[in-house]
Amino acid sequence: MPHEINHSYKAVIFDMDGTVLDTLSELTHSLNHIFRLHQLPELSPQEVRLCLGYGYTGLIERAAPSVPADEQALLAEEFKQYYSAHCQGNTRPYDGVADMLAALRNGGYKTAIVSNKGQGAVSLLHEEFFRQLVDFSIGESPQYRKKPAPDMIEKALHLLNCRPEQAVYVGDSEVDKETADNAGLTSVLVTWGFRDSSFLESLHPDYLVHSCQELTHLFLPND
């Protein structure tokens, strides 16, 4: 794939979990805490990793597929409450993320985060890690359908005063690729998150990158 973007963009929009933040440890801890309360088998980080990307209800559906739907809804609500209170405990930006976001902003790009994580946790993590690095962060709420629906991306584009062809969506999963396609944005997938590189390559994103440095160079080839 090309090593730099041959197009003029105004904005770069990022997924949160698995893209700019390493949240796997805290998500695994929170999920297993809820599962223990309900005498459900605990999952390893690798198992949890493959269930992520679909929001809280999607996580429970994939992590506990044999549980009846009404119980899944209860688990999802309990997970939301517990995780929202503990989301900052073991969560950090991936190495190089802060420098990458700063470089993009200094290079003239508008930046934002759009995530299927609940808005409460997204707001807390935005304030802790990204307040000076991105314009805003949008999370799951009743106002918008979850990704891969384009609703949250469309809201972000409105706030950024950008057309779809002027923006790129950066993520780490099939959900993010489909979201970019549904919203009419160029797709960039990163290999350091919650999906394997070979799987991401099979999705045929517009760009596939393996480090924050490579991502920075994609948009700022002279840096």
Side-chain angles (χ1 to χ4, degrees):
M1 292 187 179
H3 293 292
E4 57 187 69
I5 284 182
N6 186 24
H7 185 81
S8 178
Y9 293 100
K10 291 175 60 177
V12 186
I13 305 173
F14 293 86
D15 171 52
M16 181 173 272
D17 296 62
T19 302
V20 293
L21 278 186
D22 184 356
T23 55
L24 183 57
S25 176
E26 199 59 65
L27 287 164
T28 301
H29 167 80
S30 296
L31 183 69
N32 284 333
H33 172 80
I34 299 303
F35 277 15
R36 282 194 299 273
L37 294 178
H38 291 265
Q39 290 80 51
L40 292 170
E42 296 183 32
L43 301 184
S44 69
Q46 182 61 25
E47 290 171 318
V48 173
R49 174 177 176 256
L50 298 176
C51 299
L52 298 169
Y54 296 87
Y56 297 152
T57 56
L59 169 61
I60 298 300
E61 289 169 359
R62 288 160 179 78
S66 62
V67 172
D70 56 339
E71 293 183 34
Q72 286 183 345
L74 173 63
L75 289 169
E77 183 59 31
E78 290 184 12
F79 174 83
K80 175 183 177 180
Q81 297 301 324
Y82 185 85
Y83 177 69
S84 295
H86 296 83
C87 64
Q88 296 166 286
N90 233 350
T91 291
R92 296 290 181 274
Y94 288 102
D95 290 344
V97 161
D99 290 341
M100 172 192 68
L101 293 174
L104 290 176
R105 293 199 78 174
N106 291 337
Y109 289 96
K110 299 177 180 181
T111 53
I113 291 171
V114 169
S115 172
N116 271 347
K117 186 193 295 292
Q119 184 64 61
V122 164
S123 296
L124 287 172
L125 294 168
H126 173 92
E127 285 299 308
E128 182 172 1
F129 296 114
F130 302 117
R131 186 164 53 90
Q132 304 297 328
L133 295 171
V134 303
D135 294 309
F136 55 84
S137 295
I138 297 175
E140 181 186 5
S141 73
Q143 293 174 272
Y144 312 108
R145 292 176 296 166
K146 292 186 299 183
K147 300 183 301 180
D151 301 33
M152 291 190 286
I153 295 290
E154 291 169 353
K155 175 64 174 178
L157 292 174
H158 174 74
L159 293 173
L160 294 167
N161 192 29
C162 285
R163 299 188 302 274
E165 64 270 20
Q166 296 175 312
V168 173
Y169 191 54
V170 182
D172 70 305
S173 75
E174 68 279 8
V175 179
D176 298 316
K177 171 62 165 61
E178 190 175 349
T179 301
D181 292 345
N182 289 341
L185 272 62
T186 296
S187 60
V188 178
L189 296 182
V190 304
T191 61
W192 58 77
F194 296 158
R195 302 292 189 270
D196 295 332
S197 178
S198 59
F199 172 73
L200 295 176
E201 190 169 358
S202 75
L203 300 176
H204 304 292
D206 294 303
Y207 300 92
L208 184 68
V209 299
H210 306 283
S211 69
C212 289
Q213 293 78 11
E214 185 180 348
L215 185 56
T216 303
H217 183 73
L218 194 65
F219 294 100
L220 301 167
N222 296 322
D223 278 24

Coordinates of all heavy atoms in Angstrom, one line a residue, residues 35-123:
F35 N -18.8 -11.2 35.1 CA -19.0 -12.6 34.8 C -18.9 -13.4 36.1 O -19.6 -14.3 36.4 CB -18.0 -13.1 33.8 CG -18.4 -12.9 32.4 CD1 -19.5 -12.0 32.1 CD2 -17.9 -13.5 31.3 CE1 -19.9 -11.7 30.8 CE2 -18.2 -13.3 30.0 CZ -19.3 -12.4 29.7
R36 N -17.9 -13.0 37.0 CA -17.8 -13.7 38.3 C -19.1 -13.6 39.1 O -19.5 -14.5 39.8 CB -16.6 -13.2 39.1 CG -15.3 -13.8 38.6 CD -14.2 -13.5 39.6 NE -13.9 -12.1 39.8 CZ -13.1 -11.3 39.1 NH1 -12.5 -11.8 38.1 NH2 -13.0 -10.0 39.4
L37 N -19.7 -12.4 39.1 CA -20.9 -12.2 39.9 C -22.0 -13.0 39.4 O -22.9 -13.4 40.2 CB -21.3 -10.7 39.8 CG -20.3 -9.6 40.4 CD1 -20.9 -8.2 40.2 CD2 -20.2 -9.9 41.9
H38 N -22.0 -13.4 38.2 CA -23.1 -14.2 37.6 C -22.6 -15.7 37.3 O -23.3 -16.4 36.6 CB -23.5 -13.6 36.3 CG -24.2 -12.3 36.5 ND1 -25.6 -12.2 36.6 CD2 -23.8 -11.0 36.6 CE1 -26.0 -10.9 36.7 NE2 -24.9 -10.2 36.8
Q39 N -21.5 -16.1 37.9 CA -21.0 -17.4 37.8 C -20.8 -17.9 36.3 O -21.1 -19.0 35.9 CB -22.0 -18.4 38.5 CG -22.0 -18.3 40.0 CD -22.8 -17.2 40.5 OE1 -24.0 -17.1 40.2 NE2 -22.2 -16.4 41.4
L40 N -20.4 -16.9 35.5 CA -20.0 -17.2 34.2 C -18.5 -17.4 34.0 O -17.7 -16.8 34.8 CB -20.5 -16.1 33.2 CG -22.0 -15.9 33.1 CD1 -22.3 -14.6 32.4 CD2 -22.6 -17.1 32.4
P41 N -18.1 -18.2 33.1 CA -16.6 -18.5 32.9 C -15.9 -17.2 32.5 O -16.4 -16.5 31.6 CB -16.6 -19.6 31.9 CG -17.9 -19.5 31.2 CD -18.9 -19.1 32.2
E42 N -14.8 -17.0 33.1 CA -14.0 -15.8 32.8 C -13.3 -16.0 31.4 O -13.0 -17.2 31.0 CB -12.9 -15.5 33.9 CG -13.6 -15.2 35.2 CD -12.6 -14.8 36.3 OE1 -11.5 -14.2 35.9 OE2 -12.9 -15.1 37.4
L43 N -12.9 -14.9 30.8 CA -12.3 -14.9 29.5 C -10.9 -14.4 29.6 O -10.6 -13.5 30.4 CB -13.1 -14.1 28.4 CG -14.5 -14.6 28.2 CD1 -15.1 -13.7 27.1 CD2 -14.6 -16.0 27.8
S44 N -10.0 -14.9 28.7 CA -8.6 -14.4 28.7 C -8.6 -13.1 27.9 O -9.6 -12.8 27.1 CB -7.7 -15.4 27.9 OG -8.1 -15.5 26.6
P45 N -7.6 -12.2 28.0 CA -7.5 -11.0 27.2 C -7.6 -11.3 25.7 O -8.2 -10.5 25.0 CB -6.1 -10.4 27.6 CG -5.9 -10.9 29.0 CD -6.5 -12.3 29.0
Q46 N -7.0 -12.4 25.3 CA -7.0 -12.7 23.8 C -8.5 -13.0 23.4 O -8.9 -12.6 22.3 CB -6.1 -13.9 23.5 CG -6.1 -14.3 22.1 CD -5.6 -13.2 21.1 OE1 -4.8 -12.4 21.6 NE2 -6.0 -13.2 19.9
E47 N -9.2 -13.7 24.2 CA -10.6 -13.9 23.9 C -11.5 -12.7 23.9 O -12.3 -12.4 23.1 CB -11.2 -15.0 24.9 CG -10.7 -16.4 24.8 CD -11.1 -17.3 25.9 OE1 -11.1 -16.8 27.1 OE2 -11.4 -18.4 25.6
V48 N -11.2 -11.8 24.9 CA -11.9 -10.5 25.0 C -11.6 -9.7 23.8 O -12.5 -9.0 23.2 CB -11.6 -9.8 26.3 CG1 -12.2 -8.4 26.3 CG2 -12.1 -10.6 27.5
R49 N -10.4 -9.6 23.4 CA -9.9 -8.8 22.3 C -10.7 -9.0 21.0 O -11.1 -8.1 20.3 CB -8.4 -9.2 22.0 CG -7.7 -8.6 20.8 CD -6.3 -9.0 20.8 NE -5.5 -8.5 19.7 CZ -5.2 -9.3 18.6 NH1 -5.6 -10.6 18.6 NH2 -4.6 -8.8 17.6
L50 N -11.1 -10.3 20.8 CA -11.8 -10.6 19.5 C -13.3 -10.2 19.6 O -14.0 -10.2 18.6 CB -11.7 -12.1 19.2 CG -10.2 -12.5 19.0 CD1 -10.2 -14.0 18.7 CD2 -9.6 -11.8 17.8
C51 N -13.8 -9.9 20.8 CA -15.2 -9.5 21.0 C -15.4 -8.0 21.0 O -16.5 -7.5 21.0 CB -15.7 -10.0 22.4 SG -15.6 -11.8 22.6
L52 N -14.3 -7.2 20.9 CA -14.4 -5.8 21.1 C -14.7 -5.1 19.7 O -14.4 -5.7 18.7 CB -13.1 -5.2 21.7 CG -12.8 -5.7 23.1 CD1 -11.4 -5.4 23.5 CD2 -13.8 -5.2 24.1
G53 N -15.2 -3.9 19.8 CA -15.5 -3.1 18.7 C -16.9 -2.8 18.4 O -17.3 -2.0 17.5
Y54 N -17.8 -3.5 19.1 CA -19.2 -3.5 18.9 C -20.0 -2.8 20.0 O -21.2 -2.9 20.0 CB -19.8 -4.9 18.6 CG -19.2 -5.6 17.4 CD1 -18.0 -6.3 17.5 CD2 -19.8 -5.5 16.2 CE1 -17.4 -6.9 16.4 CE2 -19.3 -6.2 15.1 CZ -18.1 -6.9 15.2 OH -17.5 -7.5 14.1
G55 N -19.4 -2.1 20.9 CA -20.0 -1.4 22.0 C -20.3 -2.4 23.1 O -19.9 -3.6 23.0
Y56 N -20.9 -2.0 24.2 CA -21.1 -2.8 25.4 C -22.0 -4.0 25.1 O -21.7 -5.1 25.5 CB -21.6 -1.9 26.5 CG -20.7 -0.8 27.0 CD1 -21.2 0.3 27.5 CD2 -19.3 -0.9 26.8 CE1 -20.4 1.4 28.0 CE2 -18.5 0.1 27.2 CZ -19.0 1.2 27.8 OH -18.2 2.3 28.2
T57 N -23.1 -3.7 24.4 CA -24.1 -4.8 24.2 C -23.4 -5.8 23.2 O -23.6 -7.0 23.4 CB -25.4 -4.3 23.6 OG1 -25.1 -3.5 22.4 CG2 -26.1 -3.4 24.6
G58 N -22.7 -5.3 22.2 CA -22.0 -6.3 21.3 C -21.0 -7.1 22.0 O -20.8 -8.3 21.6
L59 N -20.3 -6.5 22.9 CA -19.3 -7.2 23.7 C -19.9 -8.4 24.4 O -19.4 -9.5 24.4 CB -18.5 -6.3 24.7 CG -17.7 -7.0 25.7 CD1 -16.5 -7.8 25.1 CD2 -17.1 -5.9 26.7
I60 N -21.0 -8.1 25.2 CA -21.7 -9.2 25.9 C -22.2 -10.2 25.0 O -22.1 -11.5 25.3 CB -22.8 -8.6 26.8 CG1 -22.2 -7.6 27.8 CG2 -23.5 -9.7 27.5 CD1 -21.2 -8.2 28.8
E61 N -22.8 -9.8 23.9 CA -23.4 -10.8 23.0 C -22.3 -11.8 22.5 O -22.6 -13.0 22.3 CB -24.0 -10.1 21.8 CG -25.3 -9.4 22.1 CD -25.8 -8.5 21.0 OE1 -25.0 -8.4 20.0 OE2 -26.8 -7.8 21.2
R62 N -21.1 -11.3 22.2 CA -20.0 -12.1 21.7 C -19.3 -12.9 22.8 O -18.8 -14.0 22.6 CB -19.1 -11.3 20.9 CG -19.7 -10.8 19.6 CD -19.0 -9.6 19.0 NE -19.6 -9.3 17.7 CZ -20.7 -8.6 17.6 NH1 -21.4 -8.2 18.7 NH2 -21.3 -8.4 16.4
A63 N -19.2 -12.3 24.0 CA -18.5 -12.9 25.1 C -19.3 -14.0 25.8 O -18.8 -14.9 26.5 CB -18.0 -11.9 26.1
A64 N -20.7 -13.8 25.8 CA -21.6 -14.8 26.5 C -22.7 -15.1 25.5 O -23.9 -14.8 25.8 CB -22.1 -14.2 27.8
P65 N -22.4 -15.8 24.4 CA -23.4 -16.0 23.4 C -24.5 -17.0 23.8 O -25.7 -16.9 23.2 CB -22.6 -16.6 22.2 CG -21.4 -17.2 22.8 CD -21.1 -16.3 24.0
S66 N -24.3 -17.8 24.8 CA -25.3 -18.8 25.2 C -26.3 -18.2 26.3 O -27.3 -18.9 26.6 CB -24.6 -20.0 25.8 OG -23.8 -19.7 26.9
V67 N -26.0 -17.0 26.8 CA -26.9 -16.4 27.8 C -28.1 -15.8 27.1 O -28.0 -15.2 26.0 CB -26.1 -15.3 28.5 CG1 -27.0 -14.5 29.4 CG2 -24.9 -15.9 29.3
P68 N -29.3 -16.0 27.6 CA -30.5 -15.5 27.0 C -30.4 -13.9 26.8 O -29.7 -13.2 27.6 CB -31.6 -15.8 28.0 CG -31.1 -17.0 28.7 CD -29.6 -16.8 28.8
A69 N -31.1 -13.4 25.9 CA -31.0 -12.0 25.5 C -31.4 -11.1 26.7 O -30.7 -10.0 26.8 CB -31.9 -11.7 24.3
D70 N -32.4 -11.4 27.5 CA -32.7 -10.5 28.6 C -31.6 -10.5 29.6 O -31.3 -9.4 30.2 CB -34.0 -10.9 29.2 CG -34.0 -12.4 29.7 OD1 -33.2 -13.2 29.3 OD2 -34.9 -12.7 30.6
E71 N -30.9 -11.6 29.8 CA -29.8 -11.6 30.8 C -28.6 -10.9 30.2 O -27.8 -10.2 30.9 CB -29.5 -13.1 31.1 CG -30.5 -13.8 32.0 CD -30.1 -15.2 32.4 OE1 -28.9 -15.4 32.6 OE2 -31.0 -16.0 32.4
Q72 N -28.4 -11.0 28.8 CA -27.3 -10.3 28.2 C -27.5 -8.8 28.4 O -26.6 -8.0 28.6 CB -27.3 -10.6 26.7 CG -26.7 -11.9 26.4 CD -26.7 -12.2 24.9 OE1 -27.3 -11.5 24.1 NE2 -25.9 -13.2 24.5
A73 N -28.8 -8.3 28.3 CA -29.0 -6.9 28.5 C -28.7 -6.5 29.9 O -28.1 -5.4 30.1 CB -30.5 -6.6 28.2
L74 N -29.0 -7.3 30.9 CA -28.6 -7.0 32.3 C -27.1 -7.0 32.5 O -26.6 -6.1 33.1 CB -29.2 -8.1 33.2 CG -28.8 -8.0 34.7 CD1 -29.3 -6.7 35.3 CD2 -29.4 -9.2 35.5
L75 N -26.4 -7.9 31.9 CA -25.0 -8.0 32.0 C -24.4 -6.7 31.3 O -23.4 -6.1 31.9 CB -24.4 -9.2 31.3 CG -24.7 -10.6 31.9 CD1 -24.3 -11.7 31.0 CD2 -23.9 -10.7 33.2
A76 N -24.9 -6.3 30.2 CA -24.4 -5.1 29.5 C -24.5 -3.9 30.3 O -23.6 -3.1 30.4 CB -25.1 -5.0 28.1
E77 N -25.7 -3.8 31.0 CA -25.9 -2.6 31.9 C -25.0 -2.6 33.1 O -24.4 -1.6 33.5 CB -27.3 -2.5 32.3 CG -27.7 -1.3 33.1 CD -27.4 0.0 32.4 OE1 -27.5 0.1 31.2 OE2 -27.1 1.0 33.1
E78 N -24.8 -3.8 33.7 CA -23.9 -3.9 34.8 C -22.4 -3.6 34.4 O -21.7 -3.0 35.1 CB -24.0 -5.3 35.4 CG -25.3 -5.5 36.2 CD -25.3 -6.9 36.9 OE1 -24.3 -7.5 37.0 OE2 -26.4 -7.3 37.3
F79 N -22.1 -4.1 33.2 CA -20.7 -3.9 32.7 C -20.5 -2.4 32.5 O -19.5 -1.8 32.8 CB -20.5 -4.7 31.4 CG -19.2 -4.3 30.8 CD1 -18.0 -5.0 31.2 CD2 -19.1 -3.4 29.8 CE1 -16.8 -4.6 30.6 CE2 -17.9 -3.1 29.2 CZ -16.7 -3.7 29.6
K80 N -21.5 -1.8 31.9 CA -21.4 -0.3 31.6 C -21.2 0.5 32.9 O -20.3 1.3 32.9 CB -22.7 0.2 30.9 CG -22.7 1.7 30.7 CD -24.1 2.1 30.0 CE -24.2 3.6 29.9 NZ -25.5 4.0 29.3
Q81 N -21.9 0.2 33.9 CA -21.8 0.9 35.2 C -20.4 0.6 35.8 O -19.8 1.6 36.3 CB -22.9 0.5 36.1 CG -24.3 0.8 35.6 CD -24.5 2.3 35.4 OE1 -24.0 3.1 36.1 NE2 -25.3 2.6 34.4
Y82 N -20.0 -0.6 35.8 CA -18.7 -1.0 36.5 C -17.6 -0.4 35.7 O -16.7 0.2 36.2 CB -18.6 -2.5 36.6 CG -17.3 -2.9 37.4 CD1 -17.3 -2.9 38.8 CD2 -16.2 -3.2 36.7 CE1 -16.2 -3.2 39.5 CE2 -15.0 -3.5 37.4 CZ -15.0 -3.5 38.8 OH -13.9 -3.9 39.5
Y83 N -17.6 -0.6 34.4 CA -16.5 -0.2 33.6 C -16.3 1.4 33.6 O -15.2 1.9 33.6 CB -16.6 -0.7 32.1 CG -15.5 -0.2 31.2 CD1 -14.2 -0.6 31.4 CD2 -15.7 0.8 30.3 CE1 -13.1 -0.1 30.6 CE2 -14.7 1.3 29.5 CZ -13.4 0.8 29.7 OH -12.4 1.3 28.9
S84 N -17.5 2.0 33.5 CA -17.4 3.5 33.5 C -16.8 4.1 34.8 O -16.2 5.1 34.8 CB -18.9 4.1 33.4 OG -19.4 3.8 32.1
A85 N -16.9 3.3 35.9 CA -16.3 3.8 37.1 C -14.8 3.3 37.3 O -14.1 3.8 38.2 CB -17.1 3.2 38.3
H86 N -14.4 2.5 36.4 CA -13.0 1.9 36.5 C -12.2 2.1 35.2 O -11.1 1.6 35.2 CB -13.1 0.4 36.9 CG -13.7 0.2 38.2 ND1 -15.0 0.1 38.4 CD2 -13.1 0.0 39.4 CE1 -15.3 -0.1 39.7 NE2 -14.2 -0.2 40.3
C87 N -12.7 2.8 34.2 CA -12.1 2.8 32.9 C -10.7 3.5 32.9 O -9.9 3.2 32.0 CB -13.0 3.5 31.9 SG -13.3 5.2 32.2
Q88 N -10.4 4.2 33.9 CA -9.1 4.9 33.9 C -8.0 4.2 34.6 O -6.8 4.6 34.7 CB -9.3 6.3 34.5 CG -10.2 7.2 33.7 CD -10.6 8.5 34.5 OE1 -11.4 8.4 35.4 NE2 -10.1 9.6 34.2
G89 N -8.3 3.0 35.2 CA -7.4 2.4 36.1 C -6.1 1.8 35.4 O -5.0 2.0 35.9
N90 N -6.3 1.1 34.3 CA -5.2 0.4 33.7 C -5.1 0.7 32.2 O -4.8 -0.1 31.4 CB -5.4 -1.1 33.9 CG -4.2 -1.8 34.5 OD1 -3.1 -1.1 34.6 ND2 -4.3 -3.0 34.8
T91 N -5.5 1.9 31.8 CA -5.6 2.3 30.4 C -4.6 3.4 30.1 O -4.4 4.3 30.9 CB -7.0 2.9 30.2 OG1 -7.9 1.8 30.3 CG2 -7.1 3.5 28.8
R92 N -3.9 3.2 29.0 CA -2.9 4.2 28.5 C -2.9 4.3 27.0 O -3.2 3.3 26.3 CB -1.5 3.7 28.9 CG -1.3 3.6 30.5 CD -1.2 5.0 31.1 NE -1.0 4.9 32.5 CZ -1.9 4.7 33.5 NH1 -3.2 4.6 33.1 NH2 -1.6 4.7 34.7
P93 N -2.5 5.5 26.5 CA -2.3 5.6 25.0 C -1.2 4.6 24.6 O -0.3 4.4 25.3 CB -1.9 7.0 24.8 CG -2.4 7.7 26.1 CD -2.3 6.7 27.2
Y94 N -1.3 4.1 23.4 CA -0.3 3.3 22.8 C 1.0 4.2 22.6 O 0.9 5.4 22.5 CB -0.7 2.7 21.5 CG -1.7 1.6 21.6 CD1 -3.0 1.9 21.3 CD2 -1.3 0.3 21.9 CE1 -4.0 0.9 21.4 CE2 -2.3 -0.7 22.0 CZ -3.6 -0.4 21.7 OH -4.5 -1.4 21.8
D95 N 2.1 3.6 22.7 CA 3.4 4.3 22.5 C 3.4 5.1 21.2 O 3.0 4.5 20.1 CB 4.6 3.3 22.4 CG 4.9 2.7 23.8 OD1 4.4 3.3 24.8 OD2 5.6 1.7 23.9
G96 N 3.7 6.4 21.2 CA 3.7 7.2 20.1 C 2.5 7.9 19.7 O 2.5 8.8 18.8
V97 N 1.4 7.6 20.3 CA 0.1 8.2 20.0 C 0.0 9.7 20.3 O -0.4 10.5 19.4 CB -1.1 7.5 20.7 CG1 -2.4 8.3 20.7 CG2 -1.4 6.1 20.0
A98 N 0.5 10.1 21.4 CA 0.5 11.5 21.8 C 1.3 12.3 20.8 O 0.8 13.4 20.3 CB 0.9 11.7 23.2
D99 N 2.5 11.8 20.5 CA 3.3 12.6 19.5 C 2.7 12.6 18.1 O 2.7 13.6 17.4 CB 4.7 11.9 19.4 CG 5.5 12.1 20.6 OD1 5.2 13.0 21.4 OD2 6.5 11.3 20.8
M100 N 2.0 11.5 17.7 CA 1.4 11.5 16.4 C 0.2 12.5 16.4 O 0.1 13.2 15.4 CB 0.8 10.1 16.2 CG -0.1 9.9 14.9 SD -0.9 8.3 14.9 CE -2.1 8.5 16.3
L101 N -0.6 12.5 17.4 CA -1.7 13.4 17.4 C -1.3 14.9 17.4 O -1.8 15.7 16.7 CB -2.6 13.1 18.6 CG -3.4 11.8 18.6 CD1 -4.1 11.6 19.9 CD2 -4.4 11.7 17.4
A102 N -0.2 15.1 18.2 CA 0.3 16.5 18.2 C 0.9 16.9 16.9 O 0.6 18.0 16.4 CB 1.4 16.6 19.3
A103 N 1.5 16.0 16.2 CA 2.1 16.3 14.9 C 1.0 16.6 13.9 O 1.1 17.5 13.1 CB 3.0 15.1 14.4
L104 N -0.1 15.8 13.9 CA -1.2 16.0 13.0 C -1.8 17.4 13.2 O -2.1 18.1 12.3 CB -2.2 14.9 13.1 CG -1.8 13.5 12.6 CD1 -2.9 12.5 12.9 CD2 -1.5 13.6 11.2
R105 N -2.0 17.7 14.5 CA -2.6 19.1 14.8 C -1.7 20.2 14.4 O -2.1 21.2 13.8 CB -3.0 19.2 16.2 CG -4.1 18.2 16.7 CD -4.7 18.7 18.0 NE -5.6 19.8 17.8 CZ -6.4 20.3 18.7 NH1 -6.4 19.8 19.9 NH2 -7.2 21.3 18.4
N106 N -0.4 20.0 14.7 CA 0.6 21.0 14.3 C 0.7 21.1 12.8 O 1.1 22.2 12.2 CB 1.9 20.7 14.9 CG 1.9 20.9 16.4 OD1 1.1 21.7 16.9 ND2 2.9 20.2 17.1
G107 N 0.4 20.0 12.1 CA 0.5 20.0 10.6 C -0.7 20.5 10.0 O -0.8 20.5 8.7
G108 N -1.7 21.0 10.7 CA -2.9 21.6 10.2 C -4.1 20.8 10.1 O -5.2 21.2 9.6
Y109 N -4.1 19.5 10.6 CA -5.2 18.6 10.5 C -6.2 18.8 11.7 O -5.7 19.0 12.8 CB -4.8 17.2 10.5 CG -4.2 16.7 9.2 CD1 -2.8 16.7 9.1 CD2 -4.9 16.3 8.1 CE1 -2.2 16.3 7.9 CE2 -4.4 15.9 6.9 CZ -3.0 15.9 6.8 OH -2.4 15.5 5.6
K110 N -7.4 18.8 11.5 CA -8.4 18.7 12.5 C -8.5 17.2 13.0 O -8.4 16.3 12.1 CB -9.8 19.2 12.1 CG -9.9 20.6 11.6 CD -11.2 21.0 11.1 CE -11.3 22.4 10.6 NZ -12.7 22.8 10.2
T111 N -8.6 17.0 14.3 CA -8.6 15.6 14.8 C -9.8 15.4 15.7 O -10.2 16.4 16.5 CB -7.3 15.3 15.5 OG1 -7.0 16.3 16.5 CG2 -6.2 15.2 14.5
A112 N -10.3 14.2 15.8 CA -11.4 13.9 16.7 C -11.4 12.4 16.9 O -10.7 11.6 16.2 CB -12.8 14.3 16.1
I113 N -12.2 11.9 17.9 CA -12.3 10.5 18.2 C -13.8 10.2 18.1 O -14.7 10.9 18.6 CB -11.8 10.2 19.6 CG1 -10.2 10.3 19.6 CG2 -12.2 8.8 20.1 CD1 -9.6 10.3 21.0
V114 N -14.1 9.0 17.5 CA -15.5 8.5 17.5 C -15.4 7.0 17.9 O -14.7 6.2 17.2 CB -16.1 8.6 16.0 CG1 -17.4 7.8 15.9 CG2 -16.4 10.1 15.7
S115 N -16.1 6.7 18.9 CA -16.0 5.4 19.5 C -17.3 4.7 19.9 O -18.3 5.5 20.1 CB -15.2 5.5 20.8 OG -15.2 4.3 21.6
N116 N -17.4 3.4 19.8 CA -18.6 2.7 20.3 C -18.6 2.5 21.8 O -19.6 2.0 22.4 CB -18.7 1.3 19.6 CG -19.5 1.4 18.3 OD1 -20.1 2.4 18.0 ND2 -19.4 0.3 17.6
K117 N -17.6 3.0 22.5 CA -17.6 3.0 24.0 C -18.6 4.0 24.4 O -18.8 5.0 23.8 CB -16.1 3.3 24.5 CG -16.0 3.3 26.0 CD -14.7 4.0 26.4 CE -13.4 3.3 25.9 NZ -13.2 2.0 26.5
G118 N -19.2 3.8 25.6 CA -20.2 4.7 26.1 C -19.6 6.1 26.3 O -18.5 6.3 26.6
Q119 N -20.5 7.1 26.1 CA -20.1 8.5 26.2 C -19.5 8.8 27.5 O -18.5 9.6 27.6 CB -21.2 9.4 25.9 CG -20.8 10.9 25.8 CD -19.9 11.2 24.7 OE1 -20.2 11.0 23.5 NE2 -18.7 11.7 25.0
G120 N -20.0 8.2 28.6 CA -19.4 8.6 29.9 C -18.0 8.2 30.0 O -17.2 9.1 30.5
A121 N -17.6 7.0 29.7 CA -16.2 6.6 29.7 C -15.4 7.4 28.7 O -14.2 7.8 29.0 CB -16.1 5.1 29.5
V122 N -15.9 7.6 27.5 CA -15.2 8.4 26.5 C -14.9 9.8 27.0 O -13.8 10.3 26.8 CB -16.1 8.4 25.2 CG1 -15.5 9.5 24.2 CG2 -16.0 7.1 24.5
S123 N -15.8 10.4 27.6 CA -15.6 11.8 28.1 C -14.5 11.8 29.2 O -13.6 12.7 29.2 CB -16.9 12.4 28.7 OG -17.8 12.5 27.7

